[in-house]
Amino acid sequence: MRTSRSRRSVRPARALAGLLLAAGLALTGCSGGADTSSDGGSALSDDKAAQSQAEGAAGDAADAGGKQASQAPAPAANHIIRTATLTVQVKNVPKALAAARTTTENAGGFVGKESTSRDEEGQEQTEVVLRIPVEKYDEVLADLEGSGKLLERTANAQDVTDQVVDVESRIATQRASVARIRELMDKATRLSDVVTLEGELSTRQADLESLLARQASLKDRTSLATITLSLSESPVVKAAEDDDPGVVDALAGGWDAFVTMLRWVVVALAAVLPFLAGIALIVLVWLRLIRPRLPRRSAHAAASTALGPLPMARPVPEPGREQERGEQD
């Protein structure tokens, strides 16, 4: 009886130990699985976080690009060369010129080239070049047009924005090129390399200076407008005359024709007078100096040859000789 009871008590103890061992193993597996799952979850969460950050950054970039695409780019400042030519008829050219100078100086400009002349009738004419800031261009132009009677007006506007942008870009590139050449010169050790780099540097600096000069010219012409002003005095107003000519008109026309003819006759005589004086001098020399010195025989021979042989005149005998001849006979 004791033996059977002991066997029965041992079996439940072994079963309990097996259950405890299985429970321990189960707990161990669960903890390992939990750790593994927690590690995988953290890595996955990190990947998702990184992916979400990348997607967020991409979204921000896309939004920024969309905003930039939706917004129009800021337009560049227009660079325009403005020129104008005015021809104005005034009563007093010096006074109008002084007023134009005052207007130009008050607008912040200056007077450039100036030339003054007078025509055959004594009327004064002046041409002056005015350089006006672009902001005051329209105001000064209107003021000059109202200084007298406007005869001619020409205005021109040339957009050179593309040229200005191109020159600025080329200047930046050329400056970078010059800087690179200078860096290479600092690193060069052989004399041949230094000489080659110096030649290249001088060429690029010359190109840079040319671009800078062109930029300065464009800046000057776009910042200051050019107005060429021509001033002339107003002609004398004559009284209106009848279309049909009268006696006075006929007399005036005839007198003008007579004066014109007399003028041409005097001009012709003045042109011929030197030749007449030369011919008269030659004739006078011939008559007074050369002709008296010529032998008379030559003149007589010339006359006989021209008219044939002339009859010979017999010599007249003297009275004494005739008496002597009679006595001898």
Side-chain angles (χ1 to χ4, degrees), residues 2-13:
R2 293 179 179 178
T3 304
S4 60
R5 290 180 180 178
S6 61
R7 288 179 179 177
R8 290 177 181 177
S9 61
V10 172
R11 288 178 179 177

Side-chain angles (χ1 to χ4, degrees), residues 18-34:
L19 290 174
L20 292 174
L21 181 59
L25 294 175
L27 291 175
T28 304
C30 290
S31 62

Side-chain angles (χ1 to χ4, degrees), residues 139-216:
E139 180 181 351
V140 173
L141 195 62
D143 193 1
L144 294 176
E145 289 177 359
S147 61
K149 182 180 178 181
L150 181 63
L151 300 180
E152 185 179 359
R153 179 183 184 273
T154 303
N156 187 21
Q158 181 183 2
D159 190 356
V160 292
T161 305
D162 296 339
Q163 297 182 22
V164 172
V165 173
D166 179 65
V167 169
E168 290 177 353
S169 176
R170 293 175 62 183
I171 286 174
T173 304
Q174 199 69 19
R175 282 177 174 171
S177 177
V178 170
R180 287 195 301 269
I181 294 296
R182 287 178 177 175
E183 291 178 359
L184 292 175
M185 287 183 63
D186 295 337
K187 296 178 181 179
T189 57
R190 294 186 301 178
L191 181 59
S192 59
D193 296 340
V194 173
V195 172
T196 303
L197 291 173
E198 283 182 351
E200 188 68 22
L201 179 62
S202 63
T203 301
R204 299 192 182 188
Q205 282 182 342
D207 295 340
L208 178 60
E209 291 176 359
S210 176
L211 291 173
L212 291 174
R214 185 179 177 187
Q215 184 186 36

Side-chain angles (χ1 to χ4, degrees), residues 16 23 63 66 77 115 123 145 164 174 185 189 192 215 229 231 234 243 250 274 286 291 306-307 311 316:
L16 182 59
D63 294 339
S115 61
Q123 297 178 0
E145 289 177 359
V164 172
Q174 199 69 19
M185 287 183 63
T189 57
S192 59
Q215 184 186 36
L229 177 63
L231 300 173
S234 57
D243 295 335
W286 171 263
R291 185 177 180 182
L307 299 176
V316 178

Side-chain angles (χ1 to χ4, degrees), residues 64-76:
K67 291 179 180 179
Q68 291 179 357
S70 61
Q71 294 179 357

Side-chain angles (χ1 to χ4, degrees), residues 93-149:
V93 170
K95 186 180 295 185
L97 181 59
R101 286 178 177 175
T102 303
T103 302
T104 302
E105 292 175 358
N106 291 337
F110 62 92
V111 179
K113 183 181 178 181
E114 178 182 346
S115 61
T116 303
S117 62
R118 289 184 179 272
D119 57 9
E120 297 179 355
E121 299 178 357
Q123 297 178 0
E124 187 174 353
Q125 298 178 352
T126 298
E127 182 176 342
V128 62
V129 178
L130 308 175
R131 302 301 306 279
I132 310 296
V134 177
E135 298 79 10
K136 301 289 185 178
Y137 170 74
D138 296 330
E139 180 181 351
V140 173
L141 195 62
D143 193 1
L144 294 176
E145 289 177 359
S147 61
K149 182 180 178 181

